[in-house]
Amino acid sequence: MTEVSRAGADTPVQRLTGPEIAEFLEEVFPGSMENFTIEAVEPMRARIRMPFRPYRLRPGGTISGPSLMALADTGLWVALLAMIGREALSVTSHLDIDFLRKPAPADVIAHTTLHKLGRRLAVGDVIMYSDGETVPCARASVTYAIPSSYRG
Amino acid sequence: MTEVSRAGADTPVQRLTGPEIAEFLEEVFPGSMENFTIEAVEPMRARIRMPFRPYRLRPGGTISGPSLMALADTGLWVALLAMIGREALSVTSHLDIDFLRKPAPADVIAHTTLHKLGRRLAVGDVIMYSDGETVPCARASVTYAIPSSYRG
Amino acid sequence: MTEVSRAGADTPVQRLTGPEIAEFLEEVFPGSMENFTIEAVEPMRARIRMPFRPYRLRPGGTISGPSLMALADTGLWVALLAMIGREALSVTSHLDIDFLRKPAPADVIAHTTLHKLGRRLAVGDVIMYSDGETVPCARASVTYAIPSSYRG
Amino acid sequence: MTEVSRAGADTPVQRLTGPEIAEFLEEVFPGSMENFTIEAVEPMRARIRMPFRPYRLRPGGTISGPSLMALADTGLWVALLAMIGREALSVTSHLDIDFLRKPAPADVIAHTTLHKLGRRLAVGDVIMYSDGETVPCARASVTYAIPSSYRG
C-alpha cells in the first residue's frame, strides 16, 4: 500500500490516524471496535479486519451477507473519515456488492480505496478476502453523501 | 398487488405459501422470524415487514444500513422461494441498494418483485417504506444464483 | 400510470410537459429525438420509446447493451427534467443495469420512476420491455447529481 | 501489472493473446477495433484504450456516458475472453458504473481485473482514466454469464 504516496502533489492530505478513527468510531458507534479492527490507514486507503464471530455464520458455515456488507460500508468509511476528519458525519447513499465465493469461517479483511473525494460525494471500492486467501470472497463499491458543512 | 395474476399463461406457478415459507425460513435460519414477518406472497411478488427493534438504531435515531440490506435480501428471497420451492437453496450473488431518506424509528415494509426467474439466475427489485410513509426510504435490486439441481 | 396523482399534497409539481422536454433535449443534444420518443410524462414518471434501428443490433439479432444503458439514462433523465425544469443540467453519477433477457430486434419501451428528488441527488428505477412483451428485458437504476444552482 | 504472475499455482491459464482477441473481436463485432485498442493482456487482467472520437462528445466537451459504459463492458470482456477462449460467447448480465469526474476530450484507458472466473459467472472491476491523468474518471464492475457449454 505504498502506491498512494507516490501520487504526489494532488493527493489530499490525511487528517486522522487509525487510532484516532478507532476512538471516534467507538464514540459515535459504541461497540463497533468489537466488530472491526483498523489495520492500516493511508491517504485514500484503509485496511480493516472483521474478526470471526460464530454469530455471523450462516447454515453451511459461511459468513453472512449482511456482515460482509457492514464490513464494506465501515471499511471504506474509515478511509473517508481519515481524509475529511471527525467534524463531518457523512452517510452512505449507495452500496453494491458481489458475493464471489463462500467466505470461510474466519476473519475477513477488507482493502478499501477511495477513488473520488468530492465536496458532496465520495466513491470507492472494497475487495474482501478470507484471512490467508489470495482470491477475494467479495467486492463492493460504496458512495457517501458528504454533509454541506464540509468544505474540503 | 393483483397485476401479476393478470399476466396470464406465462406466469410461473407459485409453489409455497407465505406460512410454508415462514416455516422453512425458521428451519434453515432459526430466529429469522423474529426479525421479519411475511405479510403477503403472490406469484413473483412478496411483501415483508421488519418490525422495529431498538438495537437496529444508529445515532440520530435512524434504522441501520445493514438492517435495510438484510431486509431487501430476505424480502426478495421470500418471493423467490415461493416460486422455486424449498428443495433449492439459492444464494445471493449481487445486491445494490440506494438509501433515499433516513428511515424513521419504526417498522420498515419491503415490496419485492422478481423480474427474472431463470434456470440459473433470479433478479428482482425491492422498494422499502417506513411504516405509514408514501415515499420510499430505500430501493434495492438483488441477484440470486440458483443451484444447478433446480430445473424449473 | 395514475398511481402518482393519488399521492397527494406532498407530490412535487411537474414543471415541463413531454413536448417541452423533447424540444429542450433536441436543443442540448441535437439528434437525440431520432433515437428516443417521449410517450408519456407524469409527476415523477415517464415512458420513453427507443425505436428499432438496425445499427443497434449485435450478432444474434439482439439490441446492444450500450443502447439499453443509453435508454435507461435518458429515460429517467426525462422524468427528472420534467420536475426540475430546463435551467438545471443534472449529470448522471451512477447507473446500474441488469440484462434479463435478450431483447428482440424491435422497439424497446422504458418505464421510469423517480423515487427521490432531493436538492443534491435524484434516484430512480427503469424497467425496459421489448415492444409487445409483458416480461422485461432489462432493469436499471440511475442516480443524478443536481447542480447546486437548483434550489427545489 | 506483474502482481498476477506472483499468484502462483491457482492462477488460471491464459488461452488467448491480445492480438488473437483483437482478431476474434473484429470477426464477431466488425468495426470494434476502430473503437478500442487492446494495449495489454495478462492472466485475469487487461488494459484497453478508447481513442478519442469527436462523436463521443457531449455538450461541455465531455465523453458520453454510454461510451464509458461500452469501454467498461468491452474492456473486461477482453480479460475474460483471454481466459475462456473463443469458443464461449459469454454475455453481460450486470453492469454498474460510477461517473467520478468529467472525462477530458481525450483517449480513455480502462484497467480491468477479473475477480472471479467461475463456471457460470465471471465478475470484475474496471477503473478508467483520461489519458495522462492519475485520478480516475469512472469506475465500473461487470458480471458476465458464461454459457453452459464452457467447462473450465
Side-chain angles (χ1 to χ4, degrees), chain C residues 38-49:
Chain C
I38 301 175
E39 292 201 330
V41 179
E42 286 182 47
M44 305 293 273
R45 286 185 166 197
R47 195 174 71 242
I48 316 291
R49 176 179 294 262

Side-chain angles (χ1 to χ4, degrees), chain D residues 65-149:
Chain D
S67 293
L68 294 178
M69 296 186 226
L71 171 62
D73 191 8
T74 304
L76 193 59
W77 202 68
V78 163
L80 175 58
L81 206 60
M83 304 310 295
I84 66 176
R86 52 186 295 163
E87 57 280 351
L89 210 53
S90 55
V91 296
T92 306
S93 62
H94 175 85
L95 182 146
D96 72 70
I97 185 164
D98 290 287
F99 301 99
L100 304 173
R101 291 168 189 84
K102 290 197 177 184
D107 291 8
V108 183
I109 296 107
H111 296 249
T112 75
T113 307
L114 273 179
H115 291 308
K116 174 180 177 159
L117 173 53
R119 278 187 310 118
R120 309 206 299 179
L121 290 178
V123 181
D125 272 328
V126 182
I127 311 279
M128 288 166 268
Y129 299 84
S130 292
D131 200 6
E133 296 289 331
T134 58
V135 289
C137 60
R139 66 146 298 283
S141 50
V142 194
T143 302
Y144 304 88
I146 298 174
S148 51
S149 57

Side-chain angles (χ1 to χ4, degrees), chain A:
Chain A
M1 304 230 309
T2 58
E3 215 173 306
V4 164
S5 42
R6 272 188 257 131
D10 55 349
T11 304
V13 175
Q14 184 179 330
R15 299 190 182 187
L16 294 180
T17 64
E20 286 168 341
I21 296 167
E23 194 188 348
F24 177 65
L25 270 171
E26 193 56 39
E27 209 178 296
V28 291
F29 300 115
S32 55
M33 285 302 99
E34 289 165 36
N35 291 317
F36 303 107
T37 308
I38 301 174
E39 293 201 330
V41 179
E42 284 182 49
M44 306 293 274
R45 285 184 167 198
R47 194 174 72 241
I48 316 292
R49 175 179 295 261
M50 179 168 71
F52 174 69
R53 299 279 183 267
Y55 65 76
R56 290 210 188 90
L57 286 186
R58 279 286 177 275
T62 190
I63 308 281
S64 81
S67 294
L68 295 178
M69 295 187 227
L71 171 61
D73 191 7
T74 304
L76 193 59
W77 202 68
V78 163
L80 175 58
L81 206 58
M83 305 308 296
I84 66 177
R86 51 186 295 163
E87 57 281 351
L89 210 55
S90 55
V91 297
T92 306
S93 63
H94 175 85
L95 183 146
D96 72 69
I97 185 165
D98 291 287
F99 301 99
L100 304 173
R101 291 168 188 85
K102 290 197 176 182
D107 291 7
V108 183
I109 296 108
H111 296 250
T112 74
T113 306
L114 273 179
H115 291 308
K116 173 182 177 157
L117 173 53
R119 278 187 310 119
R120 309 206 301 179
L121 290 178
V123 181
D125 272 328
V126 182
I127 311 280
M128 288 166 267
Y129 298 85
S130 292
D131 199 6
E133 296 289 332
T134 57
V135 290
C137 60
R139 67 147 297 282
S141 50
V142 193
T143 302
Y144 304 88
I146 298 174
S148 50
S149 56
Y150 173 70
R151 280 297 162 259

Side-chain angles (χ1 to χ4, degrees), chain C residues 63-138:
Chain C
I63 307 282
S64 81
S67 294
L68 294 177
M69 295 186 228
L71 171 62
D73 191 8
T74 304
L76 193 59
W77 202 68
V78 163
L80 175 59
L81 206 59
M83 304 309 296
I84 65 176
R86 50 186 297 163
E87 57 281 352
L89 210 54
S90 56
V91 296
T92 306
S93 63
H94 175 85
L95 183 146
D96 72 68
I97 186 165
D98 290 288
F99 300 98
L100 304 173
R101 291 167 190 86
K102 291 197 176 182
D107 290 8
V108 183
I109 296 108
H111 296 250
T112 75
T113 306
L114 273 179
H115 292 307
K116 174 183 178 157
L117 173 54
R119 278 187 310 118
R120 310 206 299 178
L121 289 178
V123 182
D125 272 328
V126 183
I127 311 280
M128 287 166 267
Y129 299 85
S130 291
D131 199 6
E133 296 288 332
T134 57
V135 289
C137 60

